[in-house]
Amino acid sequence: MAQPGWYPDPGGQQGMFRYWDGSAWTQQLSANPGGAPSGPGGRNPAMLWAIIAGVVVLALIAAFTLPSLFGGGPSASSSGPVPPAPTVSAWDENSTPTPSRTPTPTPTRTPTPTPTPSRPETSLPCPRYDTAVVNGRLFGGGLSVPVIRDSRWSVNAVRTIPWGICATGLQRRITGAWVSEVILAGIQPRSRVGSLKEQADAIADDSVGRFYNDGRGKLVMKSSKAIQLDGLDAWELRYEVRIDYLGSIPGDNVNVVVVQHTDGSRSALMTFATIGDNETQRQVDASRSAVKVEKR
């Protein structure tokens, strides 16, 4: 028979030893066997209760002493708030964890392309010619007329008119202070107004104030009507400007034609023929009647 002592636990608890009292296994288990347990059946109740009481006392001392030493735990003198209990549920290892949402990637902004600058607005391009006269025709402002074949007429290749662009003209001197003219011009964008009729009326008003001694002329309207010129909409005015400050010169017969181009630009033709000068009137009428719209 085996001698009393500690033997590996026959119950199979790894690392534990059970006491054999020589005749039977006791209830005493130990991880560090030393000597034989005291008391019947390997037990000492008094010693056991003493150990339990000591453990309880030590636990109570630790519960009251350690928080004070390390500043933990609530007390009557504590001024700080007690942290709230966590509201997040404890992790349940048996539950299927909810996968975190994959953040939606922020789309990369497509860079805004640099806009192509628009072409600056102009009334009409000037003629693409070496001079204002080509093949016997005077070009200006998107229109052309035949040059008057008379040595008394000259070409004014650069005609300055505030409302006009690419202006050219033909001119015949009647007296030292008086001329008859044929003028071609595009209309400046800043000078465009309303309808074609309104544009023609504005040019007529400007002509009286500009060409007749600071407005000392009386406009007498003869006709105002819509016409077609080479398939384009146009407006024609015929009027007289009467004056009384040059003795033998009574004034002018004036014709204004405003043409609307398909690109939104406008052109103007103006003719001035001295009232009573039949030859000049015939020459001006012939040139005006042969006006053409030129491609630009």
Side-chain angles (χ1 to χ4, degrees):
M1 179 178 295
Q3 296 297 316
W6 294 95
Y7 295 91
D9 179 31
Q13 298 186 61
Q14 295 293 327
M16 298 300 292
F17 295 82
R18 191 177 295 275
Y19 192 81
W20 172 263
D21 61 3
S23 61
W25 294 103
T26 70
Q27 296 300 316
Q28 297 298 307
L29 286 172
S30 175
N32 298 299
S38 60
R43 297 178 182 88
N44 189 338
M47 180 64 70
L48 181 60
W49 283 110
I51 293 172
I52 293 173
V55 170
V56 171
V57 171
L58 290 175
L60 290 174
I61 292 173
F64 287 97
T65 303
L66 291 179
S68 298
L69 291 175
F70 296 99
S75 65
S77 62
S78 175
S79 60
V82 179
T87 57
V88 180
S89 301
W91 174 63
D92 182 1
E93 65 180 1
N94 294 320
S95 64
T96 302
T98 303
S100 60
R101 294 179 60 187
T102 302
T104 303
T106 302
T108 302
R109 291 184 60 187
T110 302
T112 303
T114 302
T116 302
S118 58
R119 296 178 59 185
E121 183 185 18
T122 58
S123 171
L124 291 169
C126 294
R128 300 187 301 259
Y129 309 103
D130 294 334
T131 64
V133 177
V134 177
N135 295 329
R137 295 187 68 86
L138 175 72
F139 290 81
L143 303 175
S144 73
V145 293
V147 173
I148 298 174
R149 298 299 182 182
D150 186 323
S151 60
R152 292 170 294 182
W153 285 87
S154 61
V155 175
N156 189 349
V158 180
R159 186 67 163 83
T160 302
I161 303 176
W163 52 261
I165 185 173
C166 301
T168 58
L170 303 173
Q171 185 179 90
R172 177 180 175 177
R173 188 162 298 279
I174 305 301
T175 67
W178 193 261
V179 295
S180 291
E181 291 187 281
V182 176
I183 298 174
L184 302 174
I187 297 174
Q188 293 276 11
R190 66 174 182 270
S191 299
R192 295 177 197 165
V193 294
S195 65
L196 292 177
K197 179 182 183 303
E198 291 170 328
Q199 188 79 70
D201 288 339
I203 291 175
D205 290 340
D206 177 79
S207 71
V208 175
R210 187 174 307 281
F211 302 136
Y212 298 96
N213 200 14
D214 297 326
R216 290 176 59 190
K218 180 181 179 181
L219 188 152
V220 180
M221 188 65 65
K222 296 296 184 179
S223 66
S224 177
K225 61 182 179 180
I227 64 171
Q228 290 280 307
L229 183 59
D230 288 348
L232 298 180
D233 291 336
W235 197 273
E236 181 183 51
L237 298 181
R238 291 179 182 268
Y239 57 93
E240 290 180 353
V241 178
R242 292 280 179 170
I243 65 170
D244 58 6
Y245 53 85
L246 280 182
S248 61
I249 303 295
D252 281 327
N253 290 315
V254 185
N255 181 261
V256 174
V257 177
V258 176
V259 182
Q260 180 70 60
H261 296 276
T262 56
D263 63 0
S265 61
R266 290 175 176 177
S267 297
L269 162 68
M270 302 181 69
T271 62
F272 300 83
T274 305
I275 294 173
D277 186 336
N278 294 330
E279 181 183 35
T280 299
Q281 186 70 63
R282 178 182 58 79
Q283 292 173 329
V284 166
D285 289 344
S287 182
R288 183 189 66 245
S289 63
V291 62
K292 290 182 180 180
V293 176
E294 297 297 332
K295 293 182 179 180
R296 299 176 305 286

